[in-house]
Amino acid sequence: MIVGSGFGGLHAARRLKKADVRVTVVDRGTSHLFQPLLYQCATGLLSEGAISSPIRHLLRRQRNAQVVLGEAQGIDPTSRTLAVDRPDGSTMSIDYDHLVVAAGMRTAYHGRDDIARHAPGMKTLDDALAIRRKIIGAFEMAESLPDAAQRRPWLTFAVAGGGPTGVELAGQIRELATLALHHEFRTIDPGEARVLLLHGGDRVLPSFSKVLSRRAQKILDELGVETHLGVHVTDVTGDEVETTAKAEPHEVIRYPARTVLWTTGVEAVPFAKALAGALGVEQDHGGRIPVEADLSVAGHPNIWVVGDMSSRDDLPGVAEVAMQGGRHVGAVIAHLAAGGTDRTPFRYRDLGNAAYIARRHAVVQSGKMNLSGYVGWVAWGVIHIAFLAGIRNRMGTVVNWGATLLTDSRRERAITYGDPETARQPYR
Ligand SMILES: Cc1cc2nc3c(=O)[nH]c(=O)nc-3n(C[C@H](O)[C@H](O)[C@H](O)COP(=O)(O)OP(=O)(O)OC[C@H]3O[C@@H](n4cnc5c(N)ncnc54)[C@H](O)[C@@H]3O)c2cc1C
């Protein structure tokens, strides 16, 4: 039984293809999502179909695997059953011999529901489409307002968090405004859009080397992104965003901004709490589940946690850890199912980090190698295409990127009325 069809779950399932086992993959959605390109979906460059692949399609040739749509909400380790909420409101109980949990993380607001209401995060397809709705809607609103003072909050976009997701989003909003929307409006100049990148640390991309941070900052400055370092976002009202300086005298600044996007942190999805309670283990500060060297949970040799939701030795929350962890657990389970007894410890092979800054500029760090500028951008593109699931998505994405490079246009800008709260006013 595998909970989650992200990087960890999918790779665990695939590794079990030739084992004499039955595999059931449960996910609350129907697709494997390529989160690293969510921001391109949010800013109109790629469609939601291009960055996701149906799980059933990905596992269609794996005869021992089946897929269940539903949200795992509890387990009973004694009777070895998983309780799954189905879309029709019913609850299904599924037996397991081995349980692999790869349910990932969600955006953390640390109890600030008021901020959550106004500032979407960037973890799911819904998030990306909500952000797209906000950004595109904001330009539309600005176009119809008569004076500059009224337009200003609609044309101000604030991104909280200067990690890879925040940097990528901020850069893409400026590129959307200055390139793709350039000739399409009659009243406004979309290039006047102000993009604020609000970050608590003393440099953007803190997980990269200082050299790459500096290079990324230079490109952001050239793009026209306004970076404010050493500040916390302390309030978001829907009309304004408030920052408070970390240093004395803790200056407070309020910026009129209708669009505020939240990329400052993650926490484990709610299922982690149910799992920890049932297994008698303590979650770490982010709600992750501590695991043993082989990625199983202490005292529960048939329950495994991989990917972002597992906590061990400060392993980073990146796709490569989830993929390698999933494959490792799949291999151990296949071995045990074949009558073996070895439980090899998981060894993570760090292949590096990459972040997109702007067209022809990306940063890639692998061991002692630092790449940036055009070379970094090509390397970034190759890495992302290689890990995107499905040939069709890979080809479609390359064609889309090529067309955008040649024409500056972004065609994936349809907005939906999905959220009942915002159905009538999608730009609020
Ligand atoms: C915007 C963004 C950009 C990123 N960029 C990069 C990057 O450039 N490079 C990199 O290495 N990493 C990147 N990451 C991190 C990377 O995407 C994650 O580390 C990776 O997705 C973790 O894989 P996972 O399998 O643990 O979880 P996920 O991929 O998050 O998958 C979890 C799955 O579990 C499902 N699920 C959750 N709860 C339940 C439940 N109760 N029942 C059933 N199903 C459930 C979800 O629907 C989801 O399909 C990025 C992440 C984000 C959000």
Side-chain angles (χ1 to χ4, degrees), residues 216-413:
Q217 186 63 66
K218 187 167 170 277
I219 302 302
L220 288 171
D221 295 345
E222 284 168 15
L223 268 180
V225 172
E226 229 179 86
T227 309
H228 298 270
L229 299 173
V231 295
H232 281 313
V233 172
T234 39
D235 200 15
V236 181
T237 62
D239 297 348
E240 281 184 328
V241 57
E242 177 194 271
T243 62
T244 304
K246 281 168 78 182
E248 300 274 1
H250 304 302
E251 187 189 6
V252 175
I253 302 180
R254 296 185 79 86
Y255 302 91
R258 287 282 187 163
T259 308
V260 182
L261 310 173
W262 194 255
T263 70
T264 66
V266 290
E267 62 188 10
V269 295
F271 179 59
K273 194 170 175 200
L275 186 69
L279 302 184
V281 296
E282 220 164 275
Q283 295 168 266
D284 77 359
H285 58 278
R288 298 175 189 85
I289 307 283
V291 289
E292 302 284 273
D294 62 357
L295 302 182
S296 67
V297 179
H300 301 273
N302 65 330
I303 298 182
W304 318 75
V305 184
V306 302
D308 283 6
M309 204 204 257
S310 68
S311 161
R312 184 165 180 88
D313 299 339
D314 281 340
L315 283 177
V318 295
E320 195 54 49
V321 170
M323 290 190 276
Q324 290 182 27
R327 286 197 293 268
H328 171 82
V329 166
V332 176
I333 293 174
H335 173 74
L336 296 175
T341 51
D342 290 348
R343 302 176 69 100
T344 24
F346 173 57
R347 297 229 183 289
Y348 172 54
R349 210 172 132 237
D350 188 355
L351 298 181
N353 251 337
Y356 182 98
I357 317 296
R359 55 172 56 192
R360 300 186 184 89
H361 294 283
V363 290
V364 177
Q365 184 174 311
S366 180
K368 289 194 179 135
M369 186 181 71
N370 284 338
L371 300 179
S372 60
Y374 189 74
V375 179
W377 180 70
V378 172
W380 172 92
V382 171
I383 293 166
H384 280 69
I385 290 299
F387 286 110
L388 202 54
I391 301 257
R392 206 153 132 179
N393 279 2
R394 287 183 198 148
M395 282 167 41
T397 298
V398 170
V399 169
N400 219 325
W401 285 350
T404 300
L405 268 179
L406 289 175
T407 64
D408 289 341
S409 67
R410 289 179 187 230
R411 301 294 306 277
E412 304 297 344
R413 281 160 29 200

